[in-house]
Amino acid sequence: DSRNSVAVPSPVPEVPENPYLLLDVRDQDAYDECHIIGAVNFPSAMLSRAQNYFTKEVLNYINKDGKIIIVYDEDERLAHVCATTMIERGVDNLFMLSGGLKSSEHEIP
């Protein structure tokens, strides 16, 4: 009998969390001027802190299954140093955007 049926809403599909975290390691001004869509600003100076150098967002990606962290800057000068420091601090799932923004600006919007 259709009078006694209850409409059950279909479950809302979960939005999957992004499998990668794209970190722009330039300063805030450079990030504000131009950055890759979806990138998060993580100034290289953050890594020079004595403690609490990783943000909560970064901590959610460090060495997690199925997740990677990608760092980039203008031309690999900062990103290389940041990547080395992060690896020394135990980050194993780290990659660097080859060539930085300069080499990818014509390929990435």
Side-chain angles (χ1 to χ4, degrees):
D1 187 330
S2 63
R3 290 178 287 159
N4 294 329
S5 64
V6 177
V8 178
S10 59
V12 176
E14 282 189 32
V15 177
E17 195 172 287
N18 208 345
Y20 63 88
L21 178 61
L22 189 57
L23 295 180
D24 185 323
V25 297
R26 300 172 301 150
D27 64 33
Q28 185 70 48
D29 290 340
Y31 173 83
D32 290 342
E33 187 177 313
C34 171
H35 62 270
I36 297 173
I37 295 168
V40 174
N41 187 227
F42 184 80
S44 59
M46 294 279 291
L47 291 171
S48 63
R49 292 178 172 182
Q51 58 186 2
N52 299 325
Y53 31 77
F54 293 129
T55 63
K56 184 178 179 183
E57 187 167 24
V58 173
L59 289 171
N60 286 334
Y61 280 81
I62 292 177
N63 302 336
K64 303 288 192 220
D65 286 340
K67 296 188 185 293
I68 62 170
I69 299 170
I70 304 164
V71 295
Y72 77 90
D73 65 358
E74 196 71 33
D75 54 12
E76 285 189 28
R77 279 184 274 176
L78 284 173
H80 173 73
V81 174
C82 289
T84 300
T85 302
M86 291 173 81
I87 289 167
E88 288 171 350
R89 292 185 177 166
V91 180
D92 296 325
N93 60 335
L94 184 71
F95 297 85
M96 186 172 69
L97 181 64
S98 181
L101 274 180
K102 280 189 175 181
S103 69
S104 60
E105 64 189 347
H106 62 279
E107 297 173 23
I108 302 174

